[in-house]
Amino acid sequence: MKRILGPCIAALVLSAGAAFADPIEGNWKTASGETAVIAPCGGDFCIKLKTGKHAGKQIGKFGVNGANAYKGTITDPSEDKTYSGSGKVAGRSLTMKGCVAAIFCRSETWSKL
């Protein structure tokens, strides 16, 4: 009985971490084809590029702003300009939006890997 119970408990504990993960956490394919990782950092979620010309660069930081909604800043790595940003998770899609003065905005959708 102990032989079976030990591995079952270990599997349950490991799967519980994934069950409680925030929907925004994980690896995402950006609109331009790079891979970005979103992970907890200091009470918020940091966005860092894993692949492409700007791999290793942090390009955003969001806090929770409702159910599956996030708000913070997003950086265009090619221009190195930071904008107010927001994100909304729906299933395996993340719609990112960056705005200047809340008037001029650009959106793109990322896919969960």
Side-chain angles (χ1 to χ4, degrees):
M1 183 70 163
K2 286 184 182 181
R3 284 186 190 170
I4 296 171
L5 191 56
C8 289
I9 290 173
L12 181 63
V13 169
L14 291 174
S15 66
F20 294 115
D22 200 280
I24 200 169
E25 288 182 60
N27 292 307
W28 297 87
K29 179 71 77 177
T30 68
S32 59
E34 285 111 359
T35 300
V37 63
I38 302 177
C41 66
D44 290 319
F45 296 96
C46 289
I47 306 164
K48 186 183 276 190
L49 290 174
K50 290 177 71 174
T51 63
K53 181 179 177 182
H54 302 285
K57 183 170 185 168
Q58 182 175 316
I59 61 164
K61 190 171 189 176
F62 284 168
V64 176
N65 191 36
N68 297 330
Y70 306 86
K71 191 172 187 175
T73 58
I74 191 81
T75 301
D76 179 346
S78 62
E79 295 182 17
D80 203 31
K81 291 185 179 179
T82 301
Y83 305 96
S84 61
S86 62
K88 180 82 175 163
V89 176
R92 299 190 59 78
S93 295
L94 169 61
T95 302
M96 303 288 280
K97 184 176 178 182
C99 298
V100 175
I103 297 172
F104 303 104
C105 300
R106 189 178 99 197
S107 295
E108 57 183 52
T109 301
W110 295 4
S111 301
K112 188 95 177 216
L113 295 175

